Amino acid sequence: MEEILFESDAIVSHLRHVARDADYCLLLTEATGIVIQGYADTSASRELADEGLATGSRWNENMVGTNGIGTCIVSRRPVTVAGAAHYNHSLKGFTCTAAPIFAPDGRVVAVLDFSGRSIANSSECSFAHHIVREAAASISTTLFRKCHQNSCIVALSREPESMPLALNALIAIDESGRLLGATQEALSFLGVAELSDLGGLHLQDLWRVPLDDLKPLATHNVKLSGTDGADMYVTTFLPKKKVLRASPSGSPATKSRASGKSAPLALDRVAGSDPKMRHNVDLCRKLLDRDISLLILGETGVGKDTFAKAIHLESNRASKPYIAVNCAAIPETLLASELFGYAPGTFTGGLKTGRVGRIVASNGGTLFLDEIGDMPTDLQAHLLRVLEEREVSPLGAAEPIAVDVRIICATHRDLPQLVEAGRFRRDLYYRIKGAQIVVSPLRERLDILELVGRILEDELGPDAEKITISEEVQDLFRRYRWPGNLRELKNVIRWILSVHNDHEITLEHLPEELLSWSTAARTEISRHMWPTASNQPNATLELAYERVEQEKIIDALKATKWCITTAAQGLGISRATLHRKIRKYGIISPNQQD
């Protein structure tokens, strides 16, 4: 369920707010109806959880009869089961609305469910049915797009003005026009009931139109006649160009430079135009292929794993494995066998052939140990031995195994403090801290709008150029503190693209928590910065914003050593606009001061 949990995170977070406001439970189950995520955020919904609507509960129809989740799995469609419609008498006080999440191959792999007290309000039931159905369809579509990211995607609609990237009716085809898959919403357009009915069909078999007549047409749609005779509008998206793999003759960095292409290298893409991040990249490139341990520090969600992988991709180890291990996510009892592996017969119930540990699996490549500060102290001694002796001893093995692996460590913890507290070995700390870089939190980066554009490009491909961001949203993105850092920003963008289909992102498209923060921030500015000018509210608010803007400009200029071009890029404005604002606020460069 890991991929489903990751791809559904933004949508589930939003639905959780909706469920909280309505005193509902929000449940996400796996394919057989076992709840793997259950949210009950109010006292009323917690009562429901105590009565059985909770993580770990089972809702298979064979076990409990007619119910929202179980019946949804059997019927493969959204259902609402209210009150007495439940087979089990103990469930008659509930109203449950569930919708299936489909894998790209058409299997039901999960179910999303809203459950609350049984009510007679049909409009509330209809709303729950609508929102759960749309959310499940969005998650299914995300899984489909990810699976077929290297295929042509054809979006289908009955409306000529629809935004193709927001559509759930999609088919995937190869370069010859052969059908590779379709979402459930697309089946009605194709005139079939089951995905298996599409086997061997080509695009031309459906509409008598060759693929060459439809591509590349991502900027507009084509009107066709469907199998039922009704008009339909088709938009084709070609796959993104595949990234060149490294060969023994050179690393990706070398190939990119040799080809003369302008595509950013891995580290350049991670760093953006932020001055501090550019400094980090310059340091990393000096150490790329040197035998020096690297420690990456930064808050949760800043992209430490992404940074480590970018280092790997530009090194001479790029064609070898890159393996990441989160030391905080694996139970302490299992971490030793995960890292070091074990010999055959070591454990009762273990694999008969033994297990290859992550360190040996990454031989020749890079092993990324995230949250190293959470590693148990007894395992720290084993890791130190691997670093010092370049060999690993699997549990229960008589002989060690020689390894050639670069280990990059990362943490959000204060390691020196852990060392002083006796929770982290001093010798290991100085061994992994050959070089140290600090990944800036998102709130301190000057290139946030560039990062937003990159996320849009990753999600939408070439169609990202259609999306514009209002000045109000740009300003909010710059001022918001982003406690979840890049992970939060990605989830916000994914949420917007999943739920809305407008070409411009405005304040009304943002999740509730960002809007609430924006309102509170504006109130705080007007209350604290200018408390004495209550008789001129409009003027004082304008002055407050000007003061904030002036401070941000000065900070950007200092951070870029007064490089106007770089500072303007970080602020998301043109050089001319920055020059104009410098004159407006009377900002003087240190070189011009007496």
Side-chain angles (χ1 to χ4, degrees):
M1 291 291 291
E2 181 180 12
E3 181 182 15
I4 297 169
L5 293 175
F6 177 79
E7 298 297 343
S8 65
D9 185 62
I11 293 175
V12 169
S13 295
H14 175 72
L15 287 181
R16 188 173 175 181
H17 288 290
V18 178
R20 181 191 60 200
D21 293 341
D23 284 332
Y24 272 62
C25 288
L26 174 63
L27 308 175
L28 180 66
T29 82
E30 45 77 82
T32 67
I34 300 175
V35 177
I36 57 169
Q37 278 188 341
Y39 299 104
D41 297 316
T42 66
S43 57
S45 61
R46 280 191 286 273
E47 289 180 5
L48 298 174
D50 291 340
E51 294 174 30
L53 300 175
T55 302
S57 55
R58 302 182 65 178
W59 298 95
N60 187 293
E61 202 176 50
N62 292 335
M63 299 182 63
V64 295
T66 302
N67 70 90
I69 294 170
T71 305
C72 170
I73 293 173
V74 174
S75 66
R76 295 172 51 86
R77 65 183 61 188
V79 297
T80 296
V81 179
H86 287 93
Y87 174 82
N88 191 310
H89 180 75
S90 65
L91 303 178
K92 295 186 185 298
F94 298 148
T95 292
C96 304
T97 298
I101 295 172
F102 292 97
D105 61 5
R107 293 176 297 112
V108 175
V109 289
V111 171
L112 202 58
D113 175 88
F114 254 24
S115 290
R117 293 294 181 192
S118 181
I119 54 174
N121 188 338
S122 60
S123 62
E124 184 167 331
C125 288
S126 297
F127 171 74
H129 192 92
H130 170 77
I131 193 170
V132 173
R133 182 191 69 218
E134 291 300 311
S138 294
I139 297 170
S140 301
T141 299
T142 300
L143 296 174
F144 184 86
R145 285 186 179 276
K146 185 174 182 180
C147 175
H148 294 289
Q149 59 185 331
N150 294 321
S151 307
C152 298
I153 297 293
V154 181
L156 312 174
S157 174
R158 299 292 185 191
E159 303 295 331
E161 299 300 326
S162 61
M163 187 175 181
L165 288 163
L167 297 175
N168 294 323
L170 307 174
I171 61 174
I173 55 178
D174 62 18
E175 293 289 349
S176 69
R178 182 173 62 90
L179 268 67
L180 303 176
T183 61
Q184 297 299 303
E185 291 81 2
L187 296 182
S188 62
F189 287 86
L190 304 177
V192 298
E194 299 290 339
L195 196 58
S196 57
D197 296 335
L198 297 176
L201 287 179
H202 279 66
L203 197 67
Q204 198 163 358
D205 297 329
L206 296 171
W207 302 316
R208 304 187 185 280
V209 176
L211 178 59
D212 288 340
D213 289 353
L214 298 179
K215 68 177 188 180
L217 296 168
T219 55
H220 63 281
N221 55 42
V222 175
K223 181 179 178 181
L224 296 175
S225 179
T227 55
D228 57 357
D231 289 340
M232 58 187 297
Y233 298 88
V234 177
T235 309
T236 304
F237 298 90
L238 298 183
K240 300 177 184 178
K241 292 183 179 179
K242 296 180 181 178
V243 179
L244 288 176
R245 296 289 182 186
S247 65
S249 61
S251 69
T254 305
K255 288 182 176 292
S256 297
R257 295 187 192 103
S259 65
K261 293 183 179 180
S262 60
L265 300 174
L267 281 168
D268 290 330
R269 184 170 175 79
V270 171
S273 60
D274 180 78
K276 292 181 181 178
M277 294 296 288
R278 296 301 315 170
H279 173 75
N280 287 337
V281 165
D282 292 340
L283 174 62
C284 287
R285 287 205 169 116
K286 293 176 182 178
L287 305 174
L288 270 181
D289 299 317
R290 297 187 178 275
D291 187 20
I292 297 177
S293 300
L294 183 62
L295 178 61
I296 303 176
L297 304 178
E299 298 176 5
T300 299
V302 295
K304 298 187 289 292
D305 185 5
T306 306
F307 206 107
K309 191 166 188 178
I311 294 171
H312 170 77
L313 289 175
E314 287 198 22
S315 74
N316 58 13
R317 297 176 180 266
S319 61
K320 300 296 183 179
Y322 171 84
I323 294 180
V325 178
N326 189 320
C327 299
I330 301 175
E332 183 174 339
T333 54
L334 299 179
L335 187 56
S337 60
E338 283 288 328
L339 283 176
F340 306 108
Y342 57 84
T346 301
F347 299 114
T348 301
L351 297 175
K352 293 181 179 180
T353 57
R355 178 171 187 151
V356 176
R358 302 290 184 91
I359 296 175
V360 174
S362 58
N363 188 33
T366 303
L367 176 67
F368 175 61
L369 296 178
D370 198 6
E371 302 304 347
I372 187 72
D374 293 278
M375 177 176 282
T377 51
D378 58 331
L379 293 188
Q380 293 174 22
H382 292 290
L383 178 61
L384 179 63
R385 190 175 302 115
V386 172
L387 292 170
E388 295 287 355
E389 300 176 7
R390 299 288 181 172
E391 58 183 25
V392 58
S393 298
L395 304 179
E399 297 293 332
I401 301 173
V403 291
D404 171 26
V405 59
R406 181 176 194 181
I407 296 181
I408 300 176
C409 299
T411 184
H412 73 283
R413 294 185 177 275
D414 186 338
L415 288 185
Q417 188 178 34
L418 293 179
V419 169
E420 294 303 320
R423 294 165 56 192
F424 199 85
R425 293 180 62 105
R426 188 180 300 273
D427 48 4
L428 178 60
Y429 171 62
Y430 288 110
R431 185 64 181 82
I432 64 176
K433 189 195 170 188
Q436 176 177 294
I437 64 171
V438 179
V439 180
S440 303
L442 188 55
R443 62 182 175 276
E444 295 179 5
R445 293 188 61 160
L446 301 179
D447 59 348
I448 184 168
L449 296 181
E450 180 182 334
L451 296 176
V452 171
R454 190 168 298 153
I455 294 170
L456 288 171
E457 181 181 334
D458 289 341
E459 294 295 320
L460 306 180
D463 213 46
E465 296 179 0
K466 287 185 177 181
I467 305 295
T468 59
I469 304 175
S470 71
E471 291 288 343
E472 294 84 1
V473 173
Q474 292 183 34
D475 182 58
L476 190 151
F477 279 178
R478 293 190 195 100
R479 293 186 294 110
Y480 182 55
R481 301 294 294 172
W482 298 107
N485 291 297
L486 274 173
R487 185 179 294 124
E488 182 182 8
L489 177 61
K490 288 179 180 178
N491 283 339
V492 167
I493 299 300
R494 284 177 172 174
W495 152 250
I496 293 171
L497 297 178
S498 298
V499 177
H500 301 286
N501 59 1
D502 297 324
H503 291 280
E504 183 182 29
I505 298 175
T506 63
L507 289 176
E508 65 181 17
H509 297 119
L510 300 183
E512 178 185 342
E513 56 268 27
L514 260 69
L515 290 176
S516 300
W517 178 90
S518 178
T519 302
R522 291 169 184 260
T523 303
E524 200 73 5
I525 288 175
S526 59
R527 184 165 69 89
H528 287 290
M529 295 188 68
W530 302 94
T532 60
S534 57
N535 58 329
Q536 292 182 324
N538 293 333
T540 57
L541 187 58
E542 181 179 351
L543 289 172
Y545 277 118
E546 288 182 351
R547 176 172 291 189
V548 172
E549 182 179 56
Q550 181 179 350
E551 291 175 352
K552 286 186 73 68
I553 290 174
I554 293 175
D555 289 344
L557 290 169
K558 288 180 178 178
T560 60
K561 298 181 181 179
W562 291 78
C563 175
I564 297 297
T565 300
T566 306
Q569 289 175 346
L571 292 166
I573 58 179
S574 67
R575 294 177 75 255
T577 300
L578 180 55
H579 278 298
R580 187 167 62 251
K581 291 183 180 294
I582 288 174
R583 290 194 298 270
K584 173 183 176 181
Y585 296 125
I587 300 172
I588 301 175
S589 166
N591 296 331
Q592 298 175 342
Q593 295 176 357
D594 295 333

